[in-house]
């Protein structure tokens, strides 16, 4: 069985993100980029399936600029077997990404696709769900545990009220939550070995996908600055302020 | 974050990510406890070895990572940013392992390296003696040939890992009083006649033991000799070139952690109704700290590349870098402590630990005075 894991190149979670002065987006020039942390969890989950003997091959796919190859190399250094890079200059929206992934999945035939529940740049939380709809596959989002059965999987999901375990038929689209696992670091020798693993390159046009944006960004602004707090004298005053100023009770 | 980040190769960024992730998650949170309770963190060391840190520039065949010295400088800076003392021990382990890999026979490599590369075994480097520190070539530990053994008598002082290590790479005298009378032998922990002094109590470097290593009619098979008789001093000095790059990187890593802490503190702490970051005197201090640190990093990377390229002046570049980077590293930690005011002096903040840990880098692997001896000798050599 093959497992396919899409990996997105995003601004590193340690970087303090700055909005461009013209308000069209955020600064990405000379900014440290890394793999989306939820995708690292996805790679780790796939590698564990392989190490348990449930999967034979782990394929990492990235969609975006040429430097996404570095993100794929990170996945290969962690232990993925090969990579696919779909190169495009345009910012890919969730629907376009889902369409590209569908085309690759139809070629590769994986039985499990593990995505991050969201990417930490746009926080869309859409791609996995759209992909499952396009493919007509089962979906199990926000996974915190994956148990494979015979042609099925028991997947524990992190939902508002606690944990929910569902049984789904394979093939399945899974999206990862933070507690699914702690991703490994690539060892120094594996980083070197990853350079010899193959990465297929293609374009959205090769896959017949139209990347024309369907969303229009109106403006990008910094979140409002945190303001200093106020001290209250009594519980009565606190309740009064929560009710009348903050309007939360 | 280092200014150099943008100028590293793609590979080096990957090594850096791996070392930084490990250091920040598996070293930094525990470093204060290792220091206070004098814990040698064997489990963390082995977890680091699994990522390839035990033999960064040891060849692949017996489990090394086979990277360059320049890569090692990037890696040791990251490890030291989490815990200087532990990173420095890893550096010594690398140096000793590299000597076996480079100057040992295939039989010796196959015998010792696999367990050193997983850190199932720990290694020490034994040169200094009570009567010979800076004047290392004056060492007096005697090795007398007796059949298929050497019989060692004498003692080594200040040995990092001493009493805990499994493998001791020792410089001993087999011949005359010149440097050419020195030979390198591997002494295993259970060798008859080997014993250890008490644990030294130290200002810093508390996450690793330091002790005297004592030889009393200690029998070591001739098969444990690394290289030929009389090659020992050359081997020891070659090991130190790389050791000096690593120890420089360890000072830079510690200083970088202090610089980052000072920056954050300046943005938070208010006095006279303003943030410390709003006083120009302190802004300029911070700018100088970052500038000196960047210069130290560039010199260290340059020296590392000189070793990688087999530059004839590599030893001089390593000495220059070691002198400058370890002095700068200490000064930056000290300045960061000053910027923290009284809080910098408290153990609740990590600065004083970094300061105590990097201080010894100005003394060991050749004191910074000896670095000047090496540089000036080269300059005046006609
Ligand atoms: C924590 C710790 C760990 C160590 N780990 C190891 C280890 O693992 N293996 C090992 O072999 N050694 C180790 N050492 C020993 C270390 O390398 C020596 O302490 C160092 O080389 C200095 O030698 P010394 O202490 O005898 O000082 P000395 O040589 O007595 O020097 C005293 C002072 O005189 C100065 N001086 C000496 N000669 C000259 C000169 N010609 N010109 C100008 N100034 C001079 C020195 O710079 C120094 O300031 C360690 C030391 C410490 C403190
Ligand atoms: C071990 C110890 C014992 C002590 N004992 C006593 C005691 O018995 N009694 C007592 O009253 N206090 C005591 N102190 C407190 C000590 O006097 C203060 O720590 C000291 O005055 C500095 O204040 P601070 O720590 O708040 O640093 P801060 O005032 O916050 O200073 C932080 C940094 O900013 C710099 N800075 C601040 N303002 C300016 C400015 N305008 N321009 C340029 N630089 C500036 C400072 O020089 C320092 O480098 C003790 C402190 C220690 C560590």
């Amino acid at each position: 069985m093959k497992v396919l894991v899409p990996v997105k190149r995003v601004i590193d979670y340690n970087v303090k993100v700055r909005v461009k002065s013209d308000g069209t987006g955020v600064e990405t020039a000379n900014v440290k980029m890394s793999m989306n942390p939820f995708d690292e969890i996805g790679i780790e989950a796939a590698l564990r399936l392989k190490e348990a003997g449930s999967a034979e091959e782990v394929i990492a796919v990235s969609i975006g600029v040429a430097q996404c190859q570095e993100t794929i190399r990170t996945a290969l250094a962690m232990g993925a077997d090969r990579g696919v890079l779909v190169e495009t200059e345009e910012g890919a929206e969730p629907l376009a990404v889902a369409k590209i992934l569908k085309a690759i999945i139809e070629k590769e035939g994986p039985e499990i696709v593990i995505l991050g529940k969201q990417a930490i740049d746009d926080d869309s939380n859409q791609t996995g769900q759209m992909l499952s709809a396009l493919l007509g596959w089962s979906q199990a989002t926000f996974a915190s545990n994956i148990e494979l059965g015979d042609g099925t999987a028991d997947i524990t999901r992190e939902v508002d009220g606690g944990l929910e375990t569902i049984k789904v038929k394979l093939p399945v689209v899974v999206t990862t939550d933070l507690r699914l696992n702690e991703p490994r670091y690539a060892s120094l020798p594996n980083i070197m070995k990853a350079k010899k693993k193959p990465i297929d390159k293609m374009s959205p046009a090769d896959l017949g996908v139209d990347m024309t944006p369907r969303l229009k960004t109106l403006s990008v602004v910094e979140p409002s600055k945190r303001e200093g707090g106020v001290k209250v004298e009594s519980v009565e005053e606190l309740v009064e302020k929560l009710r009348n100023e903050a309007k939360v009770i | 974050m280092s200014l150099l980040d943008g100028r590293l190769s793609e590979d080096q960024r990957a090594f850096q990510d791996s070392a930084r992730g490990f250091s920040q998650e598996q070293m930094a949170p525990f470093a204060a406890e290792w220091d206070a309770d004098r814990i040698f963190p064997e489990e963390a060391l082995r977890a680091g070895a699994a990522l390839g840190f035990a033999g960064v520039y040891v060849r692949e065949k017996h489990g090394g990572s086979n990277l360059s010295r320049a890569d090692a400088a990037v890696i040791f800076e990251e490890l030291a940013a989490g815990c200087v003392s532990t990173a420095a021990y890893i550096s010594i382990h690398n140096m000793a392992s590299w000597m076996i890999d480079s100057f040992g026979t295939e039989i010796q490599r196959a015998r010792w390296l696999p367990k050193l590369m997983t850190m199932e075994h720990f290694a020490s480097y034994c040169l200094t003696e009570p009567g010979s520190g800076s004047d290392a070539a004056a060492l007096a530990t005697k090795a007398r040939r007796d059949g298929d053994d050497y019989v060692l008598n004498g003692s080594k002082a200040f040995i990092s890992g001493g009493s805990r290590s499994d493998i001791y790479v020792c410089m001993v005298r087999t011949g005359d009083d010149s440097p050419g009378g020195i030979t390198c032998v591997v002494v295993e922990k259970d060798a008859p006649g080997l014993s250890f002094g008490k644990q030294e109590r130290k200002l810093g470097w508390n996450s690793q033991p330091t002790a005297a290593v004592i030889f009393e009619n200690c029998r070591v098979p001739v098969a444990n000799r690394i290289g030929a008789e009389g090659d020992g001093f050359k081997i020891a000095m070659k090991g130190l070139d790389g050791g000096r790059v690593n120890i420089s990187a360890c000072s830079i890593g510690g200083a970088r952690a202090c610089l980052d802490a000072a920056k954050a503190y300046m943005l938070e702490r208010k006095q006279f109704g303003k943030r410390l970051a709003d006083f120009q005197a302190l802004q300029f201090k911070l700018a100088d700290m970052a500038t000196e640190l960047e210069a130290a990093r560039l010199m260290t990377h340059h020296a590392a590349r000189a070793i990688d390229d087999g530059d004839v002046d590599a030893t001089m570049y390593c000495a220059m870098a070691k002198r400058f980077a370890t002095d700068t590293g200490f000064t930056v930690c000290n300045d960061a402590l000053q910027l923290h005011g009284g809080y910098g002096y408290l153990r609740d903040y990590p600065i004083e630990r970094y300061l105590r840990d990097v201080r010894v880098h100005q003394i060991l692997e050749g004191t910074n005075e000896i670095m000047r001896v090496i540089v000036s000798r080269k300059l005046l050599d006609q």
Side-chain angles (χ1 to χ4, degrees):
Chain A
M1 177 170 78
K2 290 185 193 174
V3 182
L4 188 135
V5 184
V7 292
K8 186 176 186 184
R9 181 174 185 266
V10 299
I11 295 182
D12 188 82
Y13 72 99
N14 278 312
V15 170
K16 190 169 177 294
V17 174
R18 289 180 206 285
V19 171
K20 282 190 193 162
S21 50
D22 64 3
T24 57
V26 298
E27 282 297 349
T28 53
N30 290 323
V31 167
K32 181 171 163 59
M33 307 293 284
S34 298
M35 188 191 298
N36 176 36
F38 289 103
D39 300 346
E40 282 182 347
I41 295 172
I43 291 284
E44 179 66 36
L47 294 176
R48 290 188 191 183
L49 289 175
K50 188 176 167 190
E51 284 160 358
S54 313
E56 279 96 52
E57 193 180 33
V58 176
I59 308 166
V61 181
S62 195
I63 301 160
V65 293
Q67 292 90 322
C68 290
Q69 193 164 322
E70 238 179 89
T71 312
I72 295 176
R73 291 262 177 245
T74 305
L76 298 178
M78 287 173 74
D81 296 287
R82 63 189 170 88
V84 178
L85 171 64
V86 182
E87 215 177 312
T88 164
E89 284 299 324
E90 277 155 292
E93 293 173 359
L95 183 58
V97 171
K99 286 178 180 170
I100 288 174
L101 291 175
K102 173 171 184 274
I104 294 173
I105 287 160
E106 282 166 353
K107 283 210 305 203
E108 297 282 358
E111 280 191 72
I112 304 182
V113 177
I114 309 177
L115 301 90
K117 73 169 179 181
Q118 68 201 71
I120 61 167
D121 49 2
D122 295 332
D123 279 339
S124 296
N125 192 339
Q126 296 173 347
T127 309
Q129 293 87 331
M130 286 176 170
L131 178 63
S132 126
L134 291 175
L135 288 165
W137 287 15
S138 340
Q139 69 165 270
T141 49
F142 318 143
S144 66
N145 191 40
I146 302 176
E147 298 280 348
L148 282 192
D150 187 14
T152 62
D154 289 350
I155 294 180
T156 306
R157 307 180 58 236
E158 298 210 357
V159 293
D160 282 348
L163 297 176
E164 173 191 73
T165 301
I166 58 172
K167 190 181 280 299
V168 291
K169 281 208 198 92
L170 300 188
V172 61
V173 172
V174 178
T175 73
T176 62
D177 215 319
L178 274 183
R179 272 163 289 267
L180 179 56
N181 58 49
E182 275 194 36
R184 68 195 66 190
Y185 297 111
S187 73
L188 305 177
N190 285 347
I191 291 170
M192 296 311 283
K193 283 181 202 139
K195 290 161 51 143
K196 300 200 185 93
K197 294 182 179 176
I199 299 181
D200 271 349
K201 287 180 197 156
M202 56 194 75
S203 70
D206 295 338
L207 299 166
V209 176
D210 173 13
M211 298 289 289
T212 314
R214 293 163 177 249
L215 304 173
K216 193 168 146 202
T217 301
L218 300 179
S219 73
V220 178
V221 294
E222 300 261 2
S224 49
K225 286 245 175 340
R226 256 184 77 179
E227 287 175 20
V230 287
K231 281 204 177 128
V232 292
E233 297 292 331
S234 63
V235 174
E236 287 74 28
E237 192 189 342
L238 175 67
V239 171
E240 191 272 329
K241 282 196 188 297
L242 286 175
R243 179 168 293 145
N244 299 323
E245 269 181 39
K247 298 198 167 61
V248 291
I249 51 174
Chain B
M1 175 141 322
S2 119
L3 302 177
L4 200 73
D5 284 357
R7 279 177 256 308
L8 299 179
S9 69
E10 180 186 332
D11 289 346
Q12 287 178 330
R13 280 203 298 275
F15 305 145
Q16 186 184 47
D17 274 348
S18 195
R20 185 176 291 175
F22 175 77
S23 166
Q24 293 307 314
E25 278 178 32
Q26 299 194 41
M27 292 169 76
F30 312 104
E33 186 193 336
W34 296 341
D35 171 63
D37 298 341
R38 297 189 165 75
I39 295 170
F40 185 57
E42 299 189 10
E43 226 172 277
L45 286 165
R46 289 186 180 126
L51 295 177
F53 302 139
V56 175
Y57 43 88
V58 168
R59 282 170 293 180
E60 261 171 319
K61 180 157 183 207
H62 299 294
S65 297
N66 199 32
L67 305 184
S68 71
R69 303 309 178 104
D71 299 334
V74 172
I75 290 163
F76 282 107
E77 175 177 337
E78 292 308 324
L79 297 179
C83 176
V84 169
S85 163
T86 306
Y89 173 72
I90 297 174
S91 149
I92 292 170
H93 179 92
N94 267 268
M95 175 165 69
S97 301
W98 174 82
M99 288 163 69
I100 293 173
D101 188 41
S102 294
F103 302 102
T105 61
E106 180 51 28
I107 293 171
Q108 291 172 328
R109 288 195 283 267
R111 179 164 158 213
W112 290 311
L113 286 177
K115 284 188 177 162
L116 291 173
M117 294 300 93
T118 56
M119 281 189 154
E120 183 183 335
H121 283 174
F122 296 106
S124 289
Y125 171 95
C126 310
L127 177 65
T128 307
E129 297 185 357
S132 64
S134 296
D135 188 10
L139 65 86
T141 296
K142 278 259 181 266
R144 179 174 53 82
R145 182 83 183 247
D146 180 30
D148 289 338
D149 290 339
Y150 287 114
V151 180
L152 274 53
N153 278 290
S155 65
K156 295 290 174 183
F158 289 117
I159 300 309
S160 303
S163 79
R164 174 58 198 86
S165 281
D166 304 273
I167 298 288
Y168 297 85
V169 179
C170 302
M171 272 37 80
V172 297
R173 192 163 296 284
T174 50
D176 62 21
D177 286 347
S178 74
I182 297 172
T183 298
C184 178
V185 291
V186 169
V187 182
E188 291 174 294
K189 183 172 67 179
D190 50 10
L194 179 69
S195 64
F196 304 98
K198 65 166 179 34
Q199 281 308 315
E200 306 292 359
R201 294 165 48 82
K202 295 166 290 186
L203 177 68
W205 271 35
N206 286 319
S207 75
Q208 46 164 317
T210 307
V213 174
I214 301 156
F215 312 101
E216 287 165 310
N217 289 323
C218 174
R219 281 197 172 263
V220 180
V222 172
N224 285 18
R225 189 182 69 219
I226 303 289
E229 273 197 11
D231 281 355
F233 196 67
K234 267 185 243 151
I235 293 173
M237 292 302 116
K238 278 255 186 307
L240 278 182
D241 279 348
R244 285 169 188 158
V245 165
N246 295 347
I247 217 69
S248 301
C250 287
S251 280
I252 294 166
R256 186 189 84 199
C258 290
L259 177 69
D260 288 346
K263 201 165 61 182
Y265 190 74
M266 282 174 66
L267 290 166
E268 230 171 58
R269 172 74 169 169
K270 283 197 173 131
Q271 286 292 282
F272 302 99
K274 288 198 273 191
R275 301 178 311 174
L276 296 183
D278 296 323
F279 294 109
Q280 194 180 45
L282 304 186
Q283 293 166 359
F284 278 26
K285 175 53 78 186
L286 193 73
D288 285 346
M289 290 160 70
T291 306
E292 306 275 307
L293 194 59
E294 187 64 7
R297 183 180 286 120
L298 292 174
M299 271 180 89
T300 301
H301 285 232
H302 179 73
R305 278 194 299 273
I307 305 181
D308 286 331
D309 298 346
D311 191 307
V312 289
D313 289 332
T315 297
M316 180 184 73
Y317 289 125
C318 290
M320 286 176 165
K322 194 270 183 184
R323 204 284 290 162
F324 188 80
T326 59
D327 283 351
T328 301
F330 180 76
T331 307
V332 168
C333 291
N334 199 28
D335 288 343
L337 194 152
Q338 185 69 15
L339 286 169
H340 277 72
Y343 300 92
Y345 196 74
L346 303 183
R347 299 223 162 161
D348 303 322
Y349 288 78
I351 311 291
E352 60 82 33
R353 171 168 46 82
Y354 284 105
L355 176 101
R356 289 185 286 107
D357 282 341
V358 302
R359 180 61 183 86
V360 77
H361 301 181
Q362 294 168 287
I363 297 170
L364 45 67
E365 307 213 350
T367 66
N368 285 2
E369 289 75 20
I370 294 306
M371 296 305 104
R372 292 176 173 96
V373 171
I374 293 171
V375 174
S376 57
R377 192 193 290 144
K378 184 82 200 175
L379 293 175
L380 298 171
D381 181 26
Q382 293 297 318

